[in-house]
Amino acid sequence: MSFFNNIVRFKTNWFFVCFMMLFFNGHLKAQETDYKSYALYVYNFMKYIEWPESQSADNFVIGLYGDSPISNEFKVLAAQKKLKGRTIVFKQCKTIDEAAGCQLLYVTSSKSSSIKPLDEKYKDKSILIVGERDGTVYKGASISFTTTDEDELKFEINKKNIDSHKLKISSSLIKLGTVVK
Amino acid sequence: MKKIIVLLVALFNLSFFGYSQVDTTLIKKDTLSYYDMSLEQLLSLKAHGVPSELETLINSLISVSSKKPINVRETPSIISLVTEEEIKKSGARDLIDVLRLVPGFDFGVDIEGVVGIGLRGNWAHEGKILILLDGQEMNETLYGTTQYGNHFPIEQIKKIEIIRGPGSAIYGGFAEYGVINIITRQAEDINGVSVSGTYGQMEKGFGRKNVNLSIGKKTKDFSFSVSGFLGRAQRSDQTFKDYTDSSYSMNGQSNINTNYVNAVLGYKGLSLRVIGDFYKLQVRDSYEKIASHAVSHEFNSVFSELKYVYKVNNKLTITPKFNYKTQMPWKSPAYDNESVFSKTAVRYRENITVSYDANRFLNVVLGAESFQDYATDNIDSSYFSNGKKTVHYYDVAFFTQGLIKTRYVNIILGARYDKHSAVSEDAFVPRIGLTKKYNRFHFKLLYSKSFKAPTIDNISYADSNCIHSEYTDFREIELGYQITRKSIITINGYNINTSEPIVYYTTQDSSSITDSYKNYGKSGSIGLEAEYKMKDKWGYLSVNYALYSVLHKSRIDDYRTPNDMSLLGFSNHRVNFCANWNITKDLSINATASWYSKRYAVTSLDSLGQAVQTSLNPTTLINCFVRYETPVKGLTIGAGVYDLLNQKIKFIQPYNGGHAPLPGPSREIIVRIQYNLNFKQKIN
């Protein structure tokens, strides 16, 4: 009986060790998306894209459609930076309709399927639609992010979409990204 | 016991908490200055922030299994990656020490004291595993073998990319079961002068006396490096016993002499490489008995390559290359009843590979290759099977690969077609791979056909002069899960089926032994491999397990054992363990261990001359190495013990081929000293 007990105790102890190793440290997630990099790019899109004068007087509104930790970065950006003297305001959009007052709308990966209806709804408005998901630039976004095999963060530009929203993109920003047709 | 558990848990948690604190510090970086980055600085931004040590390793790009660089977790093969850090810190004496720790790999003895390689229970010595050293095919072209034991310059290796599975769809007829791609330190890595020396002492005699010297420099367009290795070693200091219990001491009669040089000149995309590799074994192990005196067997090779990597634009790369290798493998004098053997084999190879990135989601590789083999028998009274002193064969091949990346899966489709002048049936080997990484989880689903083309002497010694390529079907699956930022677990399964393998056998009459080859029967194995890896600044830990079985599989008679699960020479179960602890920034201690379940070996003959097999007990090899980077800049010293328990593991012949198990080294104490003198300016 004591032999059996020893085996049970031995197994229990090792199970305990494995459990501790695997799960108590579960809060350390796999390599996570660095949303700060995404937000920095968005800030530069704001700097190097021109909106019509009619929209250049008031606050600059960044909208976020979909839930994403990038909201924290946008809040920091709005609190600490200005855009050519204009106050930056962050707005969490729960519906497509709530995006109406935004100058820039960041659409999260989970809401990528909404990019086409967003583009159609606001086709005459000067809203820069930025898609988080790779390839959304082909589905109505003006700019979308991509990552290389080396994990570098890049972006693609759909010039036609930008033009249709009556926005002007600077040549230096075009040089930095990849223009798609 | 409880105290140990508490200590272990505390250690793991301490290390994790330490990491968390670093993260917190990073978050407090100055946001304002961050947002003032210039446009050019944006180009260096990463999508996933600062990777952990482990993430850097498992997300590193390799091209061994796809030509197009893909990260380790998504590349379409079961892969092991061995880094320079792991090799250096483990104190590995040679490639055997490194590969023993890789799941599925093991070693056995062929004839004439040559140690060869096996994978997943299958003897792969004769041209079934391709060994590339800086892109050069190291397998000799007479039989396709590569010889192990103090052969390759372990201290010059930068990394080893290993495919533990088929590679024929890219590499052709030597890559049926696997590919070992050794990449040595190049000019930019050396960037100065590097000298090292190793001395090993076994129980009864010296183990090895090795010297390495490397010099290299890279400027913007020009690079050069020259590396040399001079090795003097002994296979063993133990007593060899043949089938009749006759014996001799291998101490002083099992020398391994290696002279090696690797030189490369590069200008922009153009490179010229020359490797000289001269390997000599002293052996007394003869067919079924001991030779009257020690005899030298030589394997002399010169490899050269001219290559140009032409980047036409960002999407298109064209790489033409020309290779020339001349070899005199298995060169041996006449002794006892054995005849002198001296043949020269020359291979010219031309290859052009085109890689085109149509867009970010589609890459296409197209290539054509041809080689011409010329062999000459240098002995007056000896001829090839065509009755002439020379033979000539050629092979023409075309290969292609498409890599399609989608959101849900990466699809890799490829194939290779080979037409060999001496083989009636052309080889065609397709492959398909589905892989994807979803944050922590990844999977690989792989199917590939592969082949082994008959070599010059396979054809020459073919039974009834009719031999053809052997084909293997591979089905593999891998699942991986990154448990934390510092640890990952992977499990893979495989099913290998080889049809009509080219089997070596001997026939003996009163005066001579005749070597022959024929396509015969079926072979293969089924099994699984699992690996846990943890890596952080404090060091790393890995544990792997490998299982193979041939239960319900067809077997070649000469490979059989009394156990339905096993093949001769190779353990069904293997466990490897490796742990490294960086005690300080300069001082590390490394422990490795390999456990072998029981193995079967032919150890004697019965009264009818039939092989008698013995089961050898499970064995554990334990090794320990301490490495210290001294305050003298560039000077590193190390010392360690290999085979701490003095198990003296034997190399078993994995087929019934007339050779008793060959003793390996006894406990070996090694000391190593290395000095790197870096040139002042390093240009990347």
Side-chain angles (χ1 to χ4, degrees):
Chain A
M1 194 63 186
S2 62
F3 174 73
F4 179 75
N5 285 341
N6 280 340
I7 289 176
V8 170
R9 194 180 306 142
F10 177 80
K11 284 186 175 173
T12 308
N13 286 341
W14 279 108
F15 177 77
F16 174 71
V17 171
C18 293
F19 181 80
M20 294 292 280
M21 283 169 62
L22 296 180
F23 297 102
F24 269 54
N25 293 293
H27 65 280
L28 291 164
K29 293 176 184 171
Q31 195 173 2
E32 287 180 341
T33 304
D34 187 354
Y35 286 106
K36 206 165 187 171
S37 299
Y38 285 74
L40 179 56
Y41 262 117
V42 167
Y43 180 58
N44 279 278
F45 298 156
M46 291 153 58
K47 284 204 295 187
Y48 290 94
I49 289 175
E50 271 185 46
W51 274 256
E53 280 193 15
S54 58
Q55 292 194 30
S56 301
D58 302 329
N59 296 338
F60 188 97
V61 183
I62 303 175
L64 174 65
Y65 188 53
D67 290 328
S68 167
I70 201 170
S71 60
N72 295 327
E73 299 301 333
F74 285 154
K75 285 173 191 168
V76 172
L77 177 64
Q80 299 192 357
K81 298 297 288 183
K82 285 189 182 294
L83 182 68
K84 296 170 190 167
R86 297 166 69 191
T87 301
I88 299 171
V89 177
F90 169 65
K91 180 181 179 184
Q92 178 73 54
C93 304
K94 293 218 165 48
T95 63
I96 289 179
D97 292 339
E98 287 182 21
C102 300
Q103 274 77 51
L104 186 149
L105 184 66
Y106 185 97
V107 184
T108 64
S109 290
S110 60
K111 293 286 186 186
S112 297
S113 58
S114 303
I115 284 185
K116 199 172 176 185
L118 274 165
D119 184 46
E120 284 169 359
K121 184 173 175 68
Y122 296 113
K123 61 184 172 187
D124 298 327
K125 305 276 182 186
S126 295
I127 298 178
L128 180 74
I129 299 174
V130 177
E132 185 177 273
R133 178 169 284 173
D134 193 352
T136 47
V137 77
Y138 299 98
K139 294 175 181 174
S142 298
I143 293 177
S144 68
F145 287 103
T146 70
T147 53
T148 67
D149 289 334
E150 290 82 14
D151 195 42
E152 291 161 345
L153 186 62
K154 306 286 179 191
F155 63 94
E156 290 180 323
I157 304 159
N158 190 322
K159 187 78 171 43
K160 196 177 156 191
N161 285 352
I162 287 185
D163 292 342
S164 71
H165 287 279
K166 302 179 191 81
L167 303 171
K168 281 184 190 169
I169 183 166
S170 80
S171 57
S172 49
L173 191 61
I174 286 177
K175 276 183 200 166
L176 205 67
T178 307
V179 177
V180 301
K181 290 177 181 172
Chain B
M1 185 69 188
K2 276 185 180 172
K3 284 179 183 173
I4 294 171
I5 291 169
V6 169
L7 184 64
L8 276 171
V9 172
L11 275 174
F12 281 117
N13 283 293
L14 270 177
S15 66
F16 287 127
F17 289 141
Y19 195 87
S20 301
Q21 282 167 0
V22 173
D23 273 355
T24 311
T25 314
L26 285 173
I27 289 165
K28 290 176 183 170
K29 275 175 93 176
D30 184 354
T31 309
L32 285 171
S33 63
Y34 186 79
Y35 278 103
D36 290 336
M37 269 192 193
S38 69
L39 276 178
E40 287 70 30
Q41 285 175 309
L42 296 182
L43 290 172
S44 62
L45 286 179
K46 298 284 183 184
H48 291 89
V50 181
S52 69
E53 301 263 329
L54 179 87
E55 285 161 345
T56 303
L57 183 73
I58 63 177
N59 293 324
S60 56
L61 301 178
I62 62 168
S63 54
V64 66
S65 69
S66 58
K67 294 280 183 186
K68 163 87 177 166
I70 305 177
N71 71 72
V72 174
R73 294 172 74 189
E74 293 185 307
T75 198
S77 290
I78 309 299
I79 290 287
S80 287
L81 182 63
V82 183
T83 63
E84 182 180 4
E85 180 193 14
E86 288 169 335
I87 294 170
K88 281 194 166 21
K89 288 184 172 172
S90 74
R93 296 166 298 180
D94 62 12
L95 208 52
I96 293 178
D97 287 337
V98 174
L99 294 176
R100 260 188 181 142
L101 296 173
V102 176
F105 278 94
D106 204 354
F107 293 87
V109 67
D110 189 21
I111 61 170
E112 295 166 358
V114 172
V115 169
I117 198 162
L119 180 59
R120 295 168 163 179
N122 299 286
W123 181 228
H125 179 52
E126 287 200 37
K128 297 189 187 188
I129 290 184
L130 174 67
I131 314 292
L132 294 170
L133 195 150
D134 292 332
Q136 309 310 300
E137 178 187 272
M138 301 305 282
N139 306 59
E140 46 88 4
T141 44
L142 282 185
Y143 297 92
T145 68
T146 308
Q147 311 76 40
Y148 294 85
N150 213 57
H151 190 166
F152 301 104
I154 195 79
E155 289 159 67
Q156 295 170 18
I157 294 174
K158 185 181 177 187
K159 66 174 174 177
I160 308 175
E161 301 173 345
I162 300 164
I163 302 178
R164 287 153 33 212
S168 288
I170 296 176
Y171 298 102
F174 277 168
E176 184 184 22
Y177 284 172
V179 179
I180 299 170
N181 185 29
I182 302 168
I183 298 156
T184 65
R185 298 175 75 223
Q186 304 299 300
E188 62 269 34
D189 307 307
I190 302 166
N191 191 45
V193 181
S194 178
V195 189
S196 72
T198 301
Y199 180 81
Q201 179 66 40
M202 298 184 288
E203 272 185 332
K204 298 172 187 168
F206 83 95
R208 67 205 67 236
K209 303 167 191 169
N210 292 342
V211 178
N212 284 273
L213 172 66
S214 298
I215 180 164
K217 172 78 177 167
K218 181 173 167 52
T219 62
K220 189 183 171 198
D221 295 328
F222 177 78
S223 66
F224 85 94
S225 69
V226 181
S227 298
F229 169 60
L230 197 64
R232 298 291 177 265
Q234 291 203 96
R235 178 77 73 198
S236 178
D237 57 347
Q238 299 301 298
T239 299
F240 174 86
K241 284 186 182 175
D242 70 7
Y243 287 168
T244 60
D245 256 1
S246 297
S247 63
Y248 76 95
S249 169
M250 292 174 72
N251 190 23
Q253 299 190 86
S254 62
N255 290 336
I256 303 172
N257 293 351
T258 313
N259 300 323
Y260 162 95
V261 66
N262 183 345
V264 62
L265 270 176
Y267 178 72
K268 294 186 175 175
L270 184 68
S271 63
L272 172 66
R273 182 181 297 278
V274 179
I275 296 176
D277 177 42
F278 306 95
Y279 188 68
K280 187 158 86 174
L281 298 173
Q282 189 187 33
V283 179
R284 281 191 66 188
D285 169 23
S286 186
Y287 186 79
E288 290 187 355
K289 61 177 192 249
I290 292 170
S292 59
H293 61 281
V295 179
S296 289
H297 298 272
E298 294 180 39
F299 300 82
N300 300 324
S301 305
V302 174
F303 310 84
S304 55
E305 178 184 80
L306 184 64
K307 183 166 99 171
Y308 183 57
V309 180
Y310 175 44
K311 285 188 186 264
V312 181
N313 53 44
N314 284 341
K315 293 185 168 186
L316 182 64
T317 305
I318 302 172
T319 310
K321 62 179 178 178
F322 171 72
N323 293 78
Y324 167 79
K325 71 173 174 177
T326 179
Q327 297 174 298
M328 287 184 73
W330 300 94
K331 186 183 173 195
S332 56
Y335 64 98
D336 300 342
N337 289 333
E338 299 283 344
S339 306
V340 59
F341 187 96
S342 175
K343 290 179 181 176
T344 304
V346 176
R347 174 169 284 188
Y348 299 89
R349 183 194 295 270
E350 306 82 28
N351 180 303
I352 183 161
T353 303
V354 179
S355 176
Y356 179 65
D357 290 310
N359 52 47
R360 284 184 299 106
F361 311 107
L362 177 65
N363 169 267
V364 178
V365 173
L366 289 169
E369 182 173 90
S370 74
F371 64 76
Q372 301 81 43
D373 284 342
Y374 296 88
T376 306
D377 198 320
N378 303 314
I379 307 304
D380 289 343
S381 57
S382 186
Y383 299 89
F384 286 98
S385 56
N386 61 1
K388 296 179 180 175
K389 301 295 292 177
T390 60
V391 288
H392 167 224
Y393 304 111
Y394 68 85
D395 185 284
V396 179
F398 301 95
F399 53 90
T400 184
Q401 177 190 275
L403 165 64
I404 306 152
K405 290 184 177 179
T406 72
R407 191 182 305 158
Y408 303 107
V409 67
N410 301 323
I411 303 164
I412 296 94
L413 297 164
R416 179 173 165 125
Y417 165 83
D418 273 70
K419 180 176 180 54
H420 191 288
S421 61
V423 181
S424 56
E425 188 186 342
D426 299 343
F428 178 72
V429 284
R431 77 188 296 211
I432 180 166
L434 304 176
T435 71
K436 193 66 184 176
K437 179 176 73 173
Y438 302 100
N439 198 12
R440 295 181 178 208
F441 173 76
H442 78 261
F443 81 90
K444 297 180 182 182
L445 207 55
L446 310 166
Y447 169 77
S448 185
K449 230 174 139 100
S450 61
F451 75 105
K452 186 231 163 174
T455 58
I456 293 168
D457 268 357
N458 287 165
I459 298 165
S460 185
Y461 295 125
D463 184 351
S464 73
N465 282 332
C466 180
I467 200 158
H468 56 80
S469 300
E470 65 174 64
Y471 289 91
T472 299
D473 269 313
F474 270 88
R475 290 173 174 81
E476 299 172 291
I477 182 170
E478 179 177 286
L479 302 174
Y481 186 73
Q482 192 183 341
I483 302 162
T484 70
R485 294 197 66 187
K486 302 168 186 176
S487 61
I488 186 168
I489 188 164
T490 51
I491 298 172
N492 67 278
Y494 60 84
N495 189 356
I496 304 171
N497 290 298
T498 303
S499 300
E500 297 195 322
I502 299 169
V503 179
Y504 166 74
Y505 67 100
T506 55
T507 49
Q508 188 174 20
D509 60 26
S510 55
S511 61
S512 65
I513 303 154
T514 307
D515 296 330
S516 294
Y517 289 91
K518 64 177 175 183
N519 292 96
Y520 156 53
K522 289 182 177 178
S523 64
S525 61
I526 189 167
L528 67 88
E529 293 146 357
E531 185 161 41
Y532 172 78
K533 264 181 187 284
M534 176 185 279
K535 187 169 168 59
D536 196 13
K537 292 187 175 75
W538 56 263
Y540 49 85
L541 170 77
S542 76
V543 184
N544 65 58
Y545 166 72
L547 159 76
Y548 84 86
S549 170
V550 291
L551 200 65
H552 307 307
K553 289 266 182 196
S554 299
R555 275 161 280 173
I556 304 300
D557 288 343
D558 280 346
Y559 304 170
R560 281 179 185 275
T561 69
N563 185 329
D564 283 344
M565 276 184 69
S566 309
L567 292 172
L568 262 174
F570 298 123
S571 303
N572 284 112
H573 306 274
R574 286 284 312 277
V575 178
N576 295 309
F577 169 86
C578 178
N580 179 80
W581 182 25
N582 299 324
I583 300 167
T584 67
K585 191 170 143 284
D586 303 320
L587 181 66
S588 69
I589 183 165
N590 198 98
T592 55
S594 288
W595 178 79
Y596 290 72
S597 65
K598 71 179 176 187
R599 299 179 295 163
Y600 289 91
V602 176
T603 51
S604 62
L605 301 176
D606 64 17
S607 56
L608 298 172
Q610 298 299 308
V612 175
Q613 293 192 13
T614 307
S615 162
L616 304 187
N617 288 332
T619 312
T620 306
L621 295 178
I622 296 178
N623 319 299
C624 183
F625 191 78
V626 178
R627 188 168 182 271
Y628 178 57
E629 289 180 21
T630 68
V632 179
K633 194 179 176 187
L635 181 66
T636 306
I637 55 173
V641 184
Y642 262 76
D643 191 7
L644 196 64
L645 304 179
N646 209 15
Q647 296 291 292
K648 303 164 191 165
I649 192 165
K650 291 179 175 174
F651 298 104
I652 296 169
Q653 192 172 37
Y655 57 96
N656 178 18
H659 292 266
L662 185 75
S666 62
R667 182 190 296 128
E668 184 173 350
I669 296 167
I670 64 165
V671 291
R672 181 169 289 162
I673 183 162
Q674 182 173 20
Y675 181 66
N676 296 326
L677 176 66
N678 278 358
F679 293 148
K680 279 184 181 173
Q681 193 180 3
K682 184 172 180 177
I683 298 172
N684 291 314

